């Protein structure tokens, strides 16, 4: 077993989930968490897996011992509409948990680069082979955790003929009315789906893993990693709804696919749209989508699309790439207990990206490991709905988002509507009204990092005399989009 492979096998999905749930309970404040029996939220985190100190020096074939540490965490279910976006970069456009966790992870990486550059404390980075560049230590990796399947393409999960359909039958009148909003993840409104309640007949039926007419247990919807025969390739977005229905008409286990879980994420302009037909042909798979909005359409790409992008370009972002010899990729993605399909997750994060080409050296589609845990997040809609039982009142998503980073100064950040919680309209635009993970604040942290390093130790991409050389002016040069001019703060997706 290789050294890196040994690292990736010395943890389980349940261990990652349990670590994140415990961190949520002990390190995150009450402020920003859901109101009991009334609100729910989603959770995401980045976990560092590292060899113990003694084994980092001794790479023998003995049992591998690792430490697991949460280095960033995010909660949230909301994103702002297009009309509320600001060119100043001082608002969080997207506050879904996955995005909050990733931006918190960037803050952690910036702090670790500060440590590396100062040469005072141990950092996750080591000097690279080129001046001013750093690389990740070889004895660690990062695992991404999300308590729920990412919204968008990964949420389009087939339902088999022996399972209750996830939605009411789609009438022609409703299907022809595009103004009707749906949920932005798998957990749809109560009057449309009953599978969220673990004690409901639907959930009980799914937990029992009923057998198909062919005698094999169907495990696709709730996340066993056991695989049957390879399913047909349906990752291409050029399929028509009719072709898609014919391709996905049978599951790998042989049972007929009669419907799919819905995603509220809308196809981006220019993409082939969903057919909205009843049953399995309702959605087109493999497409880019934006998160749904309540009246004001958003410009935020779905979490499935963002995870796919990070799996190609890394999680570090354009600013941090100035200091890195290679991108920082996630080694694995773990999903908590929820409606889930291994095939849909792989299609969304890996399969539909296989034709991406013309990438700079060091970038590429990664074979990220994808697993599901059997542990349910206690503040998920499913868990809260179970506890709520027959209590009066409507269950709603929590409006606040929490960011936590493993940094020594002000690790917590609680926001609502893209600004620190409690910000008034009069206060917008002031320094106090900026989230610590907003674009402008991450840029300020990048500037502080730059100012702490003597200019003769800057990477070439940031040195003025190097930027004037002809190869730096070519649009196909890896850093061309990053260095000329200084990074643009205009919000995008």
């Amino acid at each position: 077993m290789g050294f890196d492979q040994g690292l990736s096998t010395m943890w389980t999905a349940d261990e990652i989930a349990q670590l994140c749930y415990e961190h949520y309970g002990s390190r995150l404040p009450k402020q920003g968490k859901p109101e009991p029996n009334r609100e729910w939220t989603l959770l995401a985190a980045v976990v560092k897996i590292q060899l113990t100190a003694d084994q980092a020096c001794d790479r023998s074939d003995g049992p591998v011992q690792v430490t697991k540490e949460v280095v960033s965490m995010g909660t949230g279910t909301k994103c702002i509409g297009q009309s509320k976006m600001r060119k100043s970069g001082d608002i969080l456009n997207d506050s879904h948990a996955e995005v909050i966790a990733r931006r918190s992870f960037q803050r952690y990486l910036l702090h670790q680069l500060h440590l590396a550059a100062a040469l005072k404390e141990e950092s996750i980075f080591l000097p690279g082979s080129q001046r001013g560049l750093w690389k990740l230590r070889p004895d660690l990796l990062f695992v991404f955790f999300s308590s729920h399947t990412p919204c968008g393409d990964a949420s389009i999960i087939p339902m088999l003929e022996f399972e209750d359909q996830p939605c009411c039958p789609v009438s022609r009148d409703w299907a022809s009315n595009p103004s009707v909003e749906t949920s932005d993840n798998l957990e749809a409104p109560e009057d449309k789906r009953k599978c969220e309640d673990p004690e409901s007949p639907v959930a009980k039926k799914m937990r029992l893993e009923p057998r198909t007419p062919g005698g094999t247990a169907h495990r696709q919807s709730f996340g066993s990693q056991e695989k049957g025969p390879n399913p047909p390739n349906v990752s291409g977005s050029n399929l028509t709804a009719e072709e898609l229905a014919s391709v996905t008409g049978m599951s790998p286990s042989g049972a007929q696919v009669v419907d799919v879980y819905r995603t509220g994420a809308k196809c981006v302009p220019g993409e082939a749209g969903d057919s909205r037909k009843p049953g399995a042909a309702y959605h087109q798979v493999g497409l880019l989508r934006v998160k749904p909005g309540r009246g004001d359409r958003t410009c935020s790409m779905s979490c499935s699309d963002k995870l796919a992008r990070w799996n190609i370009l890394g999680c570090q972002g354009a600013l941090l790439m100035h200091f890195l010899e290679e991108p920082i990729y996630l080694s694995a993605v773990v999903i908590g207990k929820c409606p889930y399909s291994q095939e849909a997750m792989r299609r969304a994060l890996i399969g539909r990206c296989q034709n991406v080409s013309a990438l700079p050296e060091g970038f590429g589609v990664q074979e990220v490991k994808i697993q599901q845990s059997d542990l349910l997040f206690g503040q998920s809609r499913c868990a809260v709905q179970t506890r709520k039982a027959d209590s009066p009142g409507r269950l709603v998503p929590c409006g606040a988002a929490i960011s936590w980073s493993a940094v020594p100064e002000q690790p917590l950040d609680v926001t609502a509507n893209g600004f620190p919680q409690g910000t008034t309209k009069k206060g917008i635009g002031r320094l106090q009204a900026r989230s610590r993970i907003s674009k402008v604040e991450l840029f300020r942290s990048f500037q502080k990092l730059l100012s702490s390093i003597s200019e003769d130790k800057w990477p070439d991409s940031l040195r003025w005399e190097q930027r004037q050389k002809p190869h730096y002016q070519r649009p196909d040069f890896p850093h061309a989009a990053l260095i000329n001019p200084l990074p643009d703060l205009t919000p995008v997706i």
Side-chain angles (χ1 to χ4, degrees):
M1 179 183 295
F3 177 63
D4 292 337
Q5 185 179 1
L7 261 181
S8 65
T9 57
M10 287 308 296
W11 53 267
T12 66
D14 283 355
E15 288 174 348
I16 297 296
Q18 185 64 34
L19 180 69
C20 293
Y21 297 159
E22 290 175 355
H23 190 95
Y24 172 86
S26 63
R27 302 296 293 272
L28 268 59
K30 184 177 180 180
Q31 180 189 9
K33 288 183 177 178
E35 184 179 328
N37 295 325
R38 182 180 174 272
E39 295 179 327
W40 57 273
T41 194
L42 302 176
L43 175 71
V46 177
V47 177
K48 181 181 72 171
I49 309 291
Q50 187 169 14
L51 281 177
T52 56
D54 53 341
Q55 291 210 337
C57 301
D58 180 19
R59 299 187 180 183
S60 61
D61 292 333
V64 179
Q65 300 295 323
V66 298
T67 60
K68 298 179 283 291
E69 177 191 2
V70 175
V71 295
S72 77
M73 180 166 281
T75 72
T77 64
K78 305 286 187 177
C79 58
I80 65 170
Q82 183 175 2
S83 65
K84 294 183 179 179
M85 296 173 69
R86 293 166 57 86
K87 291 185 177 181
S88 55
D90 61 353
I91 188 172
L92 294 178
N93 299 333
D94 189 341
S95 292
H96 278 216
E98 295 94 328
V99 179
I100 296 293
R102 185 256 183 166
R103 298 187 75 83
S104 304
F105 181 52
Q106 289 177 313
R107 192 175 174 217
Y108 165 78
L109 293 176
L110 275 164
H111 171 67
Q112 291 294 319
L113 278 171
H114 267 288
L115 296 180
L119 301 176
K120 293 181 180 179
E121 298 181 46
E122 186 175 354
S123 167
I124 64 171
F125 293 109
L126 298 173
S129 58
Q130 300 180 48
R131 176 177 56 184
L133 296 185
W134 302 84
K135 61 182 180 181
L136 203 61
R137 295 172 59 100
D139 61 343
L140 59 82
L141 52 81
F142 295 105
V143 175
F144 190 86
F145 173 77
S146 176
S147 63
H148 202 281
T149 307
C151 63
D153 196 57
S155 291
I156 304 175
I157 298 173
M159 291 290 292
L160 303 189
E161 56 187 340
F162 51 78
E163 297 173 336
D164 290 84
Q165 296 186 29
C167 300
C168 298
V170 182
S171 67
R172 292 185 178 181
D173 293 340
W174 186 85
S176 63
N177 181 7
S179 64
V180 176
E181 291 289 343
T182 58
S183 174
D184 60 355
N185 57 46
L186 289 177
E187 296 177 315
E190 294 88 345
D191 60 342
K192 288 190 177 181
R193 299 189 191 175
K194 305 296 182 183
C195 61
E196 291 84 358
D197 184 354
E199 299 306 316
S200 71
V202 179
K204 288 181 178 178
K205 177 182 283 189
M206 299 178 84
R207 284 205 308 271
L208 289 174
E209 293 176 352
R211 296 185 173 273
T212 68
T216 58
H218 170 63
R219 300 171 181 262
Q220 188 174 16
S221 292
F222 269 83
S224 170
Q225 303 304 309
E226 297 179 16
K227 291 184 179 180
N230 290 329
N233 180 11
V234 295
S235 62
S237 61
N238 58 339
L239 296 177
T240 65
E242 290 76 19
E243 290 170 332
L244 179 62
S246 65
V247 171
T248 61
M250 298 294 289
S251 75
S253 59
Q256 184 177 1
V257 176
V258 295
D259 206 343
V260 290
Y261 282 92
R262 309 284 193 256
T263 176
K266 314 297 183 186
C267 298
V268 300
E271 282 274 31
D274 293 319
S275 73
R276 291 178 171 260
K277 294 181 179 180
Y282 182 88
H283 279 307
Q284 173 90 283
V285 298
L287 303 184
L288 297 174
R289 297 173 181 271
V290 293
K291 294 181 170 78
R294 297 293 180 184
D296 187 9
R297 192 181 182 105
T298 77
C299 290
S300 297
M301 300 299 292
S302 73
C303 289
S304 292
D305 297 333
K306 291 190 176 185
L307 278 162
R309 182 177 64 188
W310 305 338
N311 196 44
I312 299 173
L313 302 178
C315 290
Q316 71 288 327
L319 289 178
L320 280 173
M321 198 62 215
H322 281 292
F323 285 99
L324 298 178
E325 203 164 71
E326 54 193 21
I328 297 178
Y329 289 111
L330 300 168
S331 295
V333 173
V334 174
I335 304 298
K337 186 174 183 180
C338 65
Y340 175 90
S341 164
Q342 183 75 6
E343 288 74 20
M345 281 291 296
R346 179 171 177 82
R347 176 193 69 224
L349 272 58
I350 304 172
R352 60 181 176 148
C353 304
Q354 292 300 326
N355 293 329
V356 175
S357 59
L359 293 168
E361 184 179 355
F363 294 86
V365 181
Q366 306 298 300
E367 281 293 325
V368 62
K369 184 178 180 180
I370 303 172
Q371 290 189 345
Q372 190 190 24
S373 167
D374 285 329
L375 303 181
L376 181 68
F377 177 43
Q379 299 298 318
S380 67
R381 179 173 182 174
C382 174
V384 176
Q385 195 162 9
T386 301
R387 292 194 301 269
K388 179 181 171 64
D390 297 327
S391 301
R394 183 167 172 255
L395 192 62
V396 297
C398 181
I402 306 176
S403 160
W404 182 91
S405 300
V407 297
E409 297 181 5
Q410 299 178 313
L412 282 163
D413 193 54
V414 182
T415 56
N417 300 313
F419 293 110
Q421 199 171 44
T423 300
T424 62
K425 287 186 177 181
K426 186 180 291 187
I428 293 176
R430 299 176 182 174
L431 286 175
Q432 296 84 352
R434 295 176 179 176
S435 165
R436 296 183 185 95
I437 57 170
S438 63
K439 290 186 178 184
V440 67
E441 283 302 303
L442 288 177
F443 182 56
R444 278 165 53 91
S445 297
F446 173 81
Q447 288 178 312
K448 289 179 182 178
L449 171 63
L450 201 58
S451 63
S452 70
I453 303 171
S454 59
E455 192 168 340
D456 62 318
K457 295 183 179 179
W458 285 7
D460 287 347
S461 63
L462 293 172
R463 296 168 61 84
W464 177 256
E465 64 272 19
Q466 292 294 327
R467 290 168 59 187
Q468 304 312 302
K469 292 184 178 181
H471 67 276
Y472 266 85
Q473 305 300 322
R474 292 188 354 236
D476 59 336
F477 187 77
H479 291 293
L482 313 180
I483 63 175
N484 204 8
L486 285 175
D488 184 10
L489 292 179
T490 303
V492 290
I493 57 174

